[in-house]
Amino acid sequence: MEELKAEKEHLRETIAIIKILLKEQMSLEKIYSEHLGSREELWRIANRKKIHIHNLESSLDTPYFARIDFTFEKDGKLQTIYIGKNGIMQNTNIIVTDWRAPISSLYYDSEVGHCSFTSPEGEVSGNLELKRQYEINSGNLISYYDVDLVSTDALLQKYLNSNNDSRLKSIVSTIQKEQNEVIRRNLFDNLIIQGVAGSGKTTVALHRIAYLVYNYRDSIKQNQYLVIGPNPIFIKYISSVLPELDVSSVKQCTFEGFAQNYIDEEININSPDKKVTQSIAGKIDNDIDKFKSSMNYKTMLDQFLQVYFYSITAKDFTLDDFTVLNSQKVKEVFDSTYTSTHISLASRIELTIEKLSRIIEDNIDSITTAFTDYTFQAFANLQDPKEEEKMRKKIVKNREELHKFCKSSLRKYFAKAKIDATKLYKLFISSIENYDIFNYKYLKTLKKDTMKNIKNGCYDFEDLASLIYLQKVIAPNPEYSRIRHVVVDEAQDLGEFNFFVLKSALPSSTFSIFGDLAQSIYDYRGIDNWNIVNKIMFDNNGRIINFKKSYRTTSEIMEVADEVSESIGMIHSDLVVRHGKEVDFTPLEQQNIPSYIAGKIKEYKEKGYKTIAIISKTNLLSCYINDGLAELGVNIPNITLNDDLSEDNNKVCTISNQLAKGLEFDAVIINNANENIYSSSSNLDMKLLYVAITRALHELDIVYSGELPSPLRLYLKKKIMF
């Protein structure tokens, strides 16, 4: 009782200090704002004050979520440390320690007893005497728990059992040891994280950014970090989350957005979601897209570039008909500039012009002599005095140009090499038969379809890697040379060539790559092996880490998901022990499905679930069920790429598999999961089914007409047997 009283008193004192600090900061912010004028430094200070005020205001509700008592081995001093989402200082006193601080790792990684943490000064050892978690709401202490292993504590279980709309608020306090190890990895480490559905990949990705921003704030600006996400819905989501993690100006984009910005051209990009819809429906042959996403396609591009570079120096450098330097010499000098794969075509041309100018200058006497001989020959062939006078003036002009090192003429000589990425790609496609070193059987179709798109001013997603690669060759975008770390989420949907150009276009950056091969629904371009990515990007020096624990769903739901993932050769998850209701399997006549789902939505709402999704294999099927529900008076949105789920967490919606990927809902109803729709023989269909199943936090109902896919039939058979 006394300890509870002491904890409540400490909480009151902490909140009182925060209120004092908040009042002080608001006064300072007002002063800075009133004296801004045009001074940029004052603006930056004022902006920092605004962020500081926001952090203090958000801390009033929950100043901290944990406490550790640690005895330092070096001096035997016992220190009590309160850990919160934001660090709080009063003068030089640390009131609350930021969760990202080195000593805070003890809370996430260590058991009570002897342990250590890594500080900027080196390894610090000691004894962890106490590890305590708090449940605080609106400034009031609800309860606290003394814990040892975070993965089995009461706070985690409470978090996992919460509804979708409240989960983000407590995530910092429930980060698990294996997640924390990734979050706190060195900035200079290249990581590939393979994580089962619900293992917290996106959560870890965002917290890693927050951790790096905090710990490298003195050397790296926030705009030197980049997050690449799978679609606009994801980007909107993280845009709302990152500020809550004290991250305000990190760059965020899809791969399409990255390509658009990198080549710095206005291009129209065909929606990849239309293609994946066609692929899911079996209406397109995906081989061409797979080939365009491969390193073989890059090899063909390299063959083309060799020919293109040769064409740049194929002619003699002349003044009129006089050969100043023959093509062989020009080519020799041009080739000598290729000292690094990072050097651009534009830089090579400038270096070549400088070198050729020096050669002309160093040999000006012999060149002038040769030019004199050329002029005598020219005059010998002239009969008309007027023509002779014209020739004389031209010769004088050319002689002057010789003495100016011919720089202007050299620039004219290389002007034809000044070309943008889209035009260069068009040249490649128009002559692609010349570079068919792999005897690719669909080359004619590839050429026809791609040229048709280009003429219409459009490009497929699978063309973007080529455009980025060509832009890097022509003139790398300097904006991206300053990026220091890149986080890629849902990376399994990128192809080999996509990974190559990311590394190539971001030469100063390290990477944290997150994905799940079992959710690779863009299988016509995606990868199926992380070792390939490690080789392409990091020369096999990256670290591949597996997240096998699923925290999103109950064990009952994950058992069903594991049966599906096993059918496509993926490993089982390690279940987090959180039990819930058994998965419902509901056989129905197709015409009765809408009315059943309408009733189920009502049931879930009565249970207090705030996010409910009806997931269909395709957007077309999603529209059909949405229309069927509307006829019954159930009017809910059908989610498209333009929707922002972060704005309204109380959404009940219909949604397609491809858009549901990466999202989670309190309850999920899978619309008509029968064998005809989700074919057991199709890896893609089983991946889509796996995605749908693993969106559910608490309850799942699989509705079907006819026969279930074989993995689900097998699951039910096992349940009957045992």
Side-chain angles (χ1 to χ4, degrees), residues 255 259 263 267-270 275 288-289 291-293 297 301 421-422 425 428-429 432 446 449-451 453-454 458-470 497-498 501 525:
F255 187 87
I263 67 174
I267 60 172
N268 295 316
I269 303 170
N270 296 322
K275 184 170 287 185
I288 289 174
D289 300 302
F291 184 66
K292 280 186 174 181
S293 303
Y297 198 60
L301 264 175
T422 52
Y425 189 55
F428 166 64
I429 296 297
I432 195 169
L446 184 156
D449 292 348
T450 308
M451 285 301 293
N453 275 340
I454 292 173
C458 299
Y459 297 87
D460 284 336
F461 180 96
E462 293 74 31
D463 296 310
L464 300 182
S466 297
L467 292 175
I468 296 169
Y469 184 59
L470 292 174
F497 199 6
N498 298 96
V501 297
R525 68 165 184 255

Side-chain angles (χ1 to χ4, degrees), residues 431-638:
S431 60
I432 195 169
E433 299 98 334
N434 299 329
Y435 314 105
D436 185 21
I437 57 178
F438 301 104
N439 295 316
Y440 181 58
K441 62 181 178 179
Y442 299 115
L443 195 65
K444 287 184 178 179
T445 304
L446 184 156
K447 178 180 178 179
K448 178 184 175 184
D449 292 348
T450 308
M451 285 301 293
K452 182 180 178 181
N453 275 340
I454 292 173
K455 287 176 181 178
N456 292 329
C458 299
Y459 297 87
D460 284 336
F461 180 96
E462 293 74 31
D463 296 310
L464 300 182
S466 297
L467 292 175
I468 296 169
Y469 184 59
L470 292 174
Q471 183 63 48
K472 173 70 168 57
V473 169
I474 297 167
N477 191 320
E479 176 187 352
Y480 291 96
S481 65
R482 294 187 287 270
I483 298 295
R484 298 297 305 281
H485 192 79
V486 180
V487 168
V488 186
D489 201 14
E490 300 289 348
Q492 73 279 349
D493 292 329
L494 298 179
E496 297 173 4
F497 199 6
N498 298 96
F499 286 110
F500 178 88
V501 297
L502 281 176
K503 183 61 180 175
S504 178
L506 299 156
S508 303
S509 182
T510 52
F511 289 78
S512 297
I513 296 169
F514 296 82
D516 180 12
L517 297 177
Q519 299 184 63
S520 181
I521 67 172
Y522 296 82
D523 63 340
Y524 55 88
R525 68 165 184 255
I527 52 96
D528 54 17
N529 190 323
W530 292 118
N531 291 321
I532 295 171
V533 178
N534 194 11
K535 183 179 180 180
I536 290 172
M537 296 190 75
F538 315 127
D539 197 26
N540 292 324
N541 290 318
R543 184 175 178 187
I544 300 175
I545 300 168
N546 287 297
F547 283 176
K548 296 181 180 180
K549 288 184 178 179
S550 176
Y551 300 97
R552 177 186 296 141
T553 64
T554 63
S555 59
E556 287 79 7
I557 293 171
M558 272 318 286
E559 282 175 9
V560 180
D562 282 341
E563 201 70 59
V564 176
S565 67
E566 186 176 345
S567 72
I568 53 175
M570 303 304 297
I571 59 173
H572 280 196
S573 62
D574 291 342
L575 298 178
V576 172
V577 182
R578 179 171 74 94
H579 289 286
K581 186 176 177 294
E582 289 286 346
V583 175
D584 288 322
F585 289 83
T586 308
L588 293 167
E589 295 295 325
Q590 189 164 337
Q591 65 269 22
N592 296 330
I593 290 177
S595 60
Y596 174 81
I597 291 176
K600 202 70 180 179
I601 291 172
K602 183 181 178 183
E603 178 189 324
Y604 285 150
K605 283 183 174 181
E606 289 172 350
K607 287 184 176 182
Y609 294 141
K610 296 184 177 181
T611 57
I612 305 165
I614 297 90
I615 302 178
S616 302
K617 181 182 176 183
T618 66
N619 187 57
L620 182 62
L621 291 173
S622 190
C623 289
Y624 283 157
I625 193 64
N626 191 272
D627 290 343
L629 290 169
E631 289 177 3
L632 297 170
V634 181
N635 295 298
I636 58 177
N638 183 58

Side-chain angles (χ1 to χ4, degrees), residues 239-257:
S239 296
S240 68
V241 173
L242 283 174
E244 295 301 313
L245 297 173
D246 199 23
V247 176
S248 57
S249 53
V250 164
K251 296 178 183 294
Q252 307 150 42
C253 62
T254 61
F255 187 87
E256 295 97 315

Side-chain angles (χ1 to χ4, degrees), residues 278-329:
Q278 293 174 326
S279 175
I280 291 168
K283 294 181 178 179
I284 60 171
D285 188 338
N286 297 321
D287 193 86
I288 289 174
D289 300 302
K290 191 76 172 177
F291 184 66
K292 280 186 174 181
S293 303
S294 71
M295 293 300 286
N296 285 345
Y297 198 60
K298 173 195 169 291
T299 301
M300 288 175 63
L301 264 175
D302 288 334
Q303 293 278 326
F304 161 75
L305 288 171
Q306 284 183 14
V307 175
Y308 178 74
F309 289 153
Y310 180 83
S311 71
I312 293 173
T313 59
K315 295 182 179 179
D316 295 338
F317 172 54
T318 63
L319 286 176
D320 291 331
D321 295 327
F322 173 69
T323 300
V324 181
L325 295 169
N326 61 39
S327 61
Q328 185 176 352
K329 185 64 179 178

Side-chain angles (χ1 to χ4, degrees), residues 349-360:
I349 288 172
E350 285 302 312
L351 284 171
T352 302
I353 289 172
E354 291 297 325
K355 287 185 177 184
L356 291 175
S357 296
R358 286 197 296 272
I359 290 171
I360 292 171

